[in-house]
Amino acid sequence: MLNLKIGADFNGNGFTKEQLFERFILEKHSINLAPKTIQGYTTGWTTFLKYEKHINKYIPLNEINADLLSKYRLFLIEHTNAGEVTRATYLKDLRTILRSFMTDGFLEPFQVIIPKYSTPIQETYSIEELEKLLKKPSMKKGQFNFSIYRTWVMICYIIDTTNRADTVLGVKIKDIDFVGNKITLRRVKSKKPYTTPMSSFLKQILQEYLAIRKGEPNDYLFCGYRGDRLEYDGFRSALVRYNRSRGVEKTGIHALRHTAAKLFILKGGREFALMELLGHSDLTMSKHYVRLFSDDLNIGFDDK
């Protein structure tokens, strides 16, 4: 249990920054924030605590200020192996945490500066790699492996819908509407469920998959070994094994979504349609994808 004194002053009397972080995480769990996002906050916080160990000094709440964060940014550069994008991510997550402290009146407000960084090139699969991944596994008796088959179905699903992995893992059997040819997405970043069209290609795949997977309407579409919801780390591990067994060294989950977006753009898809497909709240990221892949509009989709 937390031992916070309401109205405690900025000197930290009655509470610690660790207690406030625990309070922060509990609040995020209470609003059903995605586990991956919560894990990001935890990583950002524990990385900040590594700086505390580096200087061999406990940092009380009232000593967290702009000057300390300047020293922390230097620590990330000189004493970690994190690249500039990862360092920026650590700082963004820490900024969100500290802002919650400030908003609740536990920390004097100050600006948390995020250094500028170059936009990373989004990894995508080449056509050759994609053909290897989309080749259907053997369905013959004695050769069939459900884990491999399920991973293939998930790859087909993401390539066809461009859904985020967390969204895919949150789909239940009851969310698949084979009559209306649509899928209801409930675990989405915006927290506002919506439906996405289901192509005839994906419909056929999911009908066959469910005939094998079986399950009840309230069961998750993609299950683990015990029939429960497949977790993100489980999917990631399965994808690594699957890709490497197909001779594909790339193993990124996000690369599947980026590849799907790239294919959509190269086929002449418009920014607004891409925004709807990707589930973005505005056109900013969709325009980013268009700019990112625009060079390929003339040279084609290859492995250059």
Side-chain angles (χ1 to χ4, degrees):
M1 296 293 293
L2 300 180
N3 182 27
L4 304 182
K5 289 185 178 179
I6 303 300
D9 62 27
F10 289 123
N11 293 322
N13 294 331
F15 60 88
T16 66
K17 66 180 187 296
E18 289 78 13
Q19 289 174 317
L20 288 181
F21 176 70
E22 180 186 350
R23 178 176 181 266
F24 171 85
I25 291 297
L26 285 175
E27 193 271 335
K28 297 307 177 187
H29 278 296
S30 72
I31 61 174
N32 198 30
L33 201 65
K36 187 179 176 183
T37 303
I38 293 176
Q39 180 57 50
Y41 290 137
T42 302
T43 300
W45 183 253
T46 55
T47 303
F48 176 63
L49 295 183
K50 288 180 182 178
Y51 171 66
E52 191 174 69
K53 291 183 179 180
H54 173 71
I55 62 175
N56 196 29
K57 176 183 179 296
Y58 177 78
I59 302 172
L61 185 62
N62 66 317
E63 289 186 15
I64 299 178
N65 52 37
D67 181 59
L68 179 75
L69 266 292
S70 295
K71 296 175 182 177
Y72 174 59
R73 288 195 297 272
L74 189 61
F75 162 77
L76 290 176
I77 295 172
E78 297 182 346
H79 298 282
T80 72
N81 294 322
E84 59 178 9
V85 175
T86 302
R87 295 197 299 268
T89 300
Y90 290 156
L91 288 166
K92 287 178 181 178
D93 288 332
L94 181 62
R95 178 176 63 186
T96 301
I97 296 166
L98 295 181
R99 279 180 175 174
S100 75
F101 296 176
M102 297 173 193
T103 300
D104 291 340
F106 296 124
L107 182 65
E108 289 184 334
F110 67 90
Q111 183 180 8
V112 178
I113 298 174
I114 309 298
K116 292 183 178 181
Y117 57 92
S118 55
T119 303
I121 297 175
Q122 302 289 3
E123 181 184 58
T124 59
Y125 292 96
S126 68
I127 286 293
E128 181 183 3
E129 290 170 329
L130 202 55
E131 287 175 346
K132 291 179 180 179
L133 297 181
L134 294 178
K135 183 179 179 181
K136 189 175 181 179
S138 174
M139 304 296 286
K140 295 180 180 179
K141 187 176 181 180
Q143 297 179 353
F144 177 78
N145 181 294
F146 179 75
S147 177
I148 293 174
Y149 172 64
R150 180 204 61 204
T151 303
W152 173 77
V153 173
M154 294 183 74
I155 290 172
C156 291
Y157 182 111
I158 295 175
I159 290 296
D160 194 70
T161 66
T162 73
N163 289 168
R164 294 179 177 87
D166 283 340
T167 297
V168 177
L169 294 170
V171 173
K172 294 187 176 183
I173 293 176
K174 67 181 181 182
D175 296 326
I176 309 298
D177 181 358
F178 290 119
V179 176
N181 297 318
K182 60 185 179 181
I183 303 170
T184 299
L185 306 175
R186 305 181 190 280
R187 194 179 186 87
V188 293
K189 197 170 184 179
S190 66
K191 302 298 181 184
K192 298 178 181 179
Y194 66 95
T195 60
T196 188
M198 177 169 49
S199 69
S200 56
F201 161 77
L202 183 60
K203 179 178 180 178
Q204 183 178 357
I205 288 175
L206 291 181
Q207 285 177 326
E208 179 191 61
Y209 168 76
L210 284 173
I212 296 171
R213 185 251 187 271
K214 302 188 185 303
E216 299 298 323
N218 208 43
D219 290 340
Y220 286 101
L221 179 63
F222 297 111
C223 59
Y225 290 110
R226 294 175 292 183
D228 53 350
R229 177 180 180 270
L230 179 65
E231 297 297 332
Y232 184 88
D233 287 344
F235 177 37
R236 181 172 57 188
S237 298
L239 186 66
V240 169
R241 292 192 300 271
Y242 178 91
N243 287 17
R244 289 180 178 167
S245 72
R246 297 293 180 99
V248 177
E249 289 302 312
K250 292 174 188 170
T251 58
I253 293 178
H254 291 306
L256 292 171
R257 179 170 154 92
H258 296 153
T259 301
K262 184 172 186 175
L263 288 170
F264 181 82
I265 293 168
L266 296 181
K267 289 178 181 178
R270 308 295 294 177
E271 290 175 355
F272 184 78
L274 181 63
M275 180 190 78
E276 294 288 323
L277 195 61
L278 293 173
H280 292 150
S281 58
D282 57 50
L283 283 169
T284 303
M285 187 54 68
S286 299
K287 288 181 177 179
H288 169 68
Y289 276 119
V290 172
R291 288 195 301 270
L292 194 64
F293 302 138
S294 60
D295 289 344
D296 292 319
L297 291 173
N298 295 320
I299 65 175
F301 186 29
D302 56 27
D303 198 24
K304 291 184 179 181

